[in-house]
Amino acid sequence: MHCSLFCRVIDNYGDIGVCWRLARQLVHEHGWHVTLWVDDLASFARIAPALDMALACQLLDGIEVRHWADPLPADAAVGDIVIEAFACELPHSYQQAMAAQARRPLWLNLEYLSAEDWVEGCHGLPSPHPRLPLQKYFFFPGFTPRTGGLLCEQALLAERDAWQADTAAQHAYWQARGVPPCPPGGVRYSLFAYDSPAAAQWVQQLAAGSQPVQLLLPMSKVVPDVLQALGLPADAAAGQHYACGQLALYLLPMTDQAGYDRLLWSCDFNMVRGEDSFLRAQWAGRPFAWHIYRQDDDAHIDKLQAFLQHYCHTMPPALATAVQGFMLAWNRNRLTADSWPALLQHWPQWQLHARAWPDKILAGGSLAARLVQFSQIRLQ
């Protein structure tokens, strides 16, 4: 089965992060041949360092990667399945080529992940092309059996468990990044977020708290807020570290996807942003909070609350209240003095919930498995 997967990079890493994971799953777990068309190879290379940005066509990890530039080259083959990621809009010439095929391809629009109720009713719906004899299907990732599922590799949770049980591997991991062992009673947190006043408030609370905290900070948009809040040099770079009260801050360079997974697996708490990191934090089986991408008219708050309804549904009421309060306060840029301490009071319960959560939401199969099944049914 040949799949042509098209991706326009919108927010640097999220869109291509999802597409790159999906492409690898379709190839390695389901035996598909995948051509991944990407318009921004520079951003792609930040999470896939082996990518050669000078090449318009290359084979990377079993996937044919091609630079999406207009017009598409004459040898742009039409796959049996064509996926446009996140409504990126295929070139008109390519749509015409699809319509000209003796057996027209299955055309899917892979949508953004949402936990909102309406997703179940829209997942899998067809949309006829206004001019060409083509039909596009909407494929919605989601948290329930009536959606397209969630991106997660078949062996990922077993790999996570093995990593979290291997203290020697974790020690070597931290040593390679210049991070010393945690002091007695200390914890490790990671922060990968958008710029936010809440981040400044949070790190100030950690620095003034009673517990030693090692904060791992990959280079991202939130770094200037953290540095300013702690009175640190604005030009601080990856590889540097600072001590501020109870907070030890370590600035990390960007890493590939496997490296970021290990960071999440190795921390006690992860603050993450966007869609791809949001899911990877859940697979880590550790407490996490989500900095969702801000939208006009606070539409992102509705999306956050829809997720929290799922995530907190089986939590003890006091924990659910604390988790919802912290995430909503962060995303409204109004972190209160008690929102973080309220979470700490229920930490053991949150750890148990976080550990059980991945198995619960993967019970109906991963996104890649559901996409393959959806495609097989419609191409019979």
Side-chain angles (χ1 to χ4, degrees):
M1 195 73 70
H2 178 209
C3 173
S4 299
L5 173 56
F6 286 80
C7 174
R8 286 200 185 276
V9 179
I10 304 300
D11 66 346
N12 295 324
Y13 313 115
D15 305 85
I16 184 56
V18 170
C19 292
W20 182 227
R21 292 191 194 278
L22 176 60
R24 283 180 293 169
Q25 268 196 276
L26 293 174
V27 169
H28 299 308
E29 296 179 10
H30 300 282
W32 285 16
H33 169 65
V34 175
T35 301
L36 175 58
W37 292 89
V38 186
D39 67 332
D40 182 355
L41 294 181
S43 291
F44 188 7
R46 298 293 298 277
I47 61 171
L51 183 77
D52 187 341
M53 292 184 290
L55 296 179
C57 181
Q58 60 196 288
L59 192 66
L60 187 64
D61 201 9
I63 292 101
E64 181 186 10
V65 177
R66 304 198 63 172
H67 183 215
W68 179 2
D70 296 323
L72 287 180
D75 65 343
V78 174
D80 303 298
I81 296 132
V82 177
I83 302 175
E84 57 177 36
F86 316 123
C88 61
E89 191 172 355
L90 302 180
H92 184 62
S93 61
Y94 195 83
Q95 295 181 38
Q96 290 178 314
M98 291 164 61
Q101 300 297 302
R103 185 186 186 193
R104 296 187 184 98
L106 175 65
W107 184 7
L108 302 177
N109 178 22
L110 177 63
E111 292 283 356
Y112 288 104
L113 171 62
S114 176
E116 294 172 288
D117 292 340
W118 60 266
V119 166
E120 290 188 341
C122 294
H123 173 63
L125 287 182
S127 175
H129 194 284
R131 295 176 302 279
L132 299 173
L134 293 170
Q135 188 163 248
K136 175 165 56 178
Y137 291 88
F138 294 100
F139 200 91
F140 280 88
F143 292 86
T144 68
R146 293 177 58 194
T147 66
L150 302 165
L151 267 178
C152 184
E153 298 85 351
Q154 288 177 355
L156 184 73
L157 300 189
E159 292 174 7
R160 177 206 67 192
D161 290 345
W163 175 265
Q164 292 178 343
D166 191 340
T167 55
Q170 292 182 57
H171 177 75
Y173 173 88
W174 292 121
Q175 192 173 42
R177 285 151 184 80
V179 180
C182 255
V187 290
R188 288 191 175 110
Y189 301 155
S190 77
L191 172 60
F192 182 59
Y194 303 111
D195 54 300
S196 170
Q201 297 162 2
W202 186 56
V203 296
Q204 288 173 341
Q205 288 183 9
L206 296 180
S210 59
Q211 185 177 36
V213 175
Q214 290 181 338
L215 182 63
L216 293 309
L217 190 62
M219 301 305 291
S220 66
K221 294 180 179 179
V222 77
V223 170
D225 293 327
V226 172
L227 297 175
Q228 183 179 12
L230 298 174
L232 298 173
D235 59 350
Q240 296 178 316
H241 64 273
Y242 302 92
C244 302
Q246 290 281 58
L247 180 64
L249 182 68
Y250 297 86
L251 299 177
L252 304 181
M254 282 292 297
T255 183
D256 62 10
Q257 289 182 321
Y260 186 61
D261 279 338
R262 280 160 178 73
L263 175 65
L264 297 171
W265 297 348
S266 304
C267 289
D268 300 288
F269 170 78
N270 298 295
M271 169 59 72
V272 295
R273 76 180 204 190
E275 178 175 327
D276 185 54
S277 302
F278 164 58
L279 270 186
R280 304 316 280 195
Q282 292 175 67
W283 304 149
R286 298 284 171 82
F288 84 100
W290 182 24
H291 191 185
I292 189 171
Y293 186 78
R294 186 174 184 84
Q295 294 180 298
D296 293 336
D297 300 322
D298 283 345
H300 61 295
I301 297 296
D302 293 336
K303 295 178 181 293
L304 175 62
Q305 289 178 317
F307 166 71
L308 288 171
Q309 286 181 353
H310 287 280
Y311 185 61
C312 300
H313 179 66
T314 59
M315 285 181 176
L319 172 61
T321 298
V323 169
Q324 291 169 342
F326 180 79
M327 288 204 209
L328 286 168
W330 186 290
N331 283 280
R332 287 170 173 153
N333 297 325
R334 296 192 299 267
L335 205 62
T336 62
D338 61 347
S339 55
W340 179 250
L343 278 177
L344 296 178
Q345 292 177 16
H346 307 285
W347 204 262
Q349 291 177 312
W350 197 6
Q351 289 175 310
L352 291 174
H353 180 273
R355 193 69 183 180
W357 176 247
D359 290 328
K360 178 180 179 180
I361 55 177
L362 284 171
S366 72
L367 185 147
R370 295 190 199 186
L371 190 149
V372 168
Q373 182 183 43
F374 185 90
S375 301
Q376 289 173 339
I377 291 172
R378 279 155 185 79
L379 288 175
Q380 287 178 348

